[in-house]
Amino acid sequence: MNKKKQQTELTKKKIADAARALFAQKGYKATAIEDIVKAVGCSAGNIYYHFKNKEGLFLYLLEEWNREWDSNWLDKEKLYLTTTDKLYGMVEYLALDQLSHPLTRAADEFFNNAEKAPDVEERINVMVKGYIDFNRELLQKGIDNQEFEISNVSGHAIILDSLLLGLSQHCRRMERVEALATYRLAVDVFLQGIARPIR
């Protein structure tokens, strides 16, 4: 990487780090580009050069969070022998991550904000597709291992995503133990519909 590109990446990281701290502290709506400018000590034009707008900057942070989650999950996934165990492990890890991640509250505000530019909607759709693809692959492993009987894998992947999205909203108001128990119960119920009967 040449020196100019390295400097550009350093500036981008500095902006992202400052913005992450502000979004975590103040929330999405209350954090203005001017706040980030003050925290970083750069111009607003510099922020717009790297991220286009506040939405683009926040999406970048969400995409970073997703990459971090995926990487951590890949390490944890190896600990589970069956796909059923992986499903329980995944939702527990998801619950703990969402309950403790500093951007959770800001992410709720961001997604509940009705007005979004078309390019932002497109990036959100790509993120959601990634979640559904992840679920589809996990469920397919269960079918391949003869743990699950599913005729419509894509439909079940969407249902699982919807279940987890709804849980994430409800569990924010719960204590950690109750939230984990609720996530486990949700997997119990989900598995009742797909578990391969023992013959």
Side-chain angles (χ1 to χ4, degrees):
M1 188 183 305
N2 66 37
K3 196 166 185 172
K4 185 173 182 182
K5 190 163 184 176
Q6 197 172 22
Q7 186 61 44
T8 299
E9 287 303 311
L10 278 172
T11 303
K12 188 173 184 177
K13 183 181 181 334
K14 195 174 171 185
I15 293 167
D17 290 346
R20 186 183 302 104
L22 285 165
F23 285 131
Q25 178 192 358
K26 298 174 75 169
Y28 177 75
K29 290 178 188 170
T31 301
I33 289 291
E34 293 75 29
D35 299 325
I36 300 166
V37 165
K38 285 180 195 164
V40 178
C42 71
S43 69
N46 213 338
I47 294 171
Y48 294 130
Y49 170 78
H50 290 287
F51 299 103
K52 190 174 178 186
N53 52 30
K54 182 170 121 173
E55 287 179 323
L57 173 51
F58 194 75
L59 267 173
Y60 174 83
L61 296 175
L62 290 179
E63 289 162 350
E64 261 192 347
W65 180 7
N66 281 340
R67 283 189 295 275
E68 179 185 300
W69 193 94
D70 287 346
S71 173
N72 291 340
W73 170 246
L74 283 174
D75 290 339
K76 291 179 184 306
E77 186 182 24
K78 299 169 192 156
L79 304 173
Y80 304 104
L81 299 178
T82 68
T83 310
T84 299
D85 290 341
K86 287 178 188 197
L87 195 53
Y88 281 106
M90 184 213 29
V91 299
E92 286 179 16
Y93 175 50
L94 190 62
L96 293 174
D97 183 58
Q98 288 180 342
L99 290 172
S100 64
H101 199 282
L103 287 180
T104 296
R105 182 173 61 95
D108 286 345
E109 286 180 46
F110 175 78
F111 285 116
N112 291 327
N113 179 15
E115 294 178 33
K116 291 183 183 62
D119 64 314
V120 170
E121 287 288 355
E122 189 176 318
R123 284 174 68 187
I124 290 171
N125 290 339
V126 168
M127 285 173 64
V128 171
K129 182 184 180 308
Y131 303 150
I132 293 168
D133 289 345
F134 177 91
N135 292 345
R136 188 183 300 111
E137 288 172 23
L138 184 65
L139 295 175
Q140 188 60 54
K141 285 178 191 171
I143 294 167
D144 296 344
N145 295 341
Q146 298 188 350
E147 293 176 64
F148 304 155
E149 276 188 0
I150 303 174
S151 58
N152 182 349
V153 180
S154 294
H156 279 79
I158 292 169
I159 290 167
L160 180 57
D161 185 65
S162 302
L163 177 67
L164 296 175
L165 180 63
L167 282 170
S168 72
Q169 297 301 308
H170 290 287
C171 289
R172 303 252 204 284
R173 294 179 287 282
M174 297 178 186
E175 294 296 320
R176 181 181 168 129
V177 172
E178 184 186 4
L180 284 171
T182 305
Y183 269 85
R184 287 186 195 112
L185 176 60
V187 175
D188 290 344
V189 172
F190 183 77
L191 285 172
Q192 284 178 20
I194 65 170
R196 188 182 181 93
I198 299 168
R199 290 177 176 35

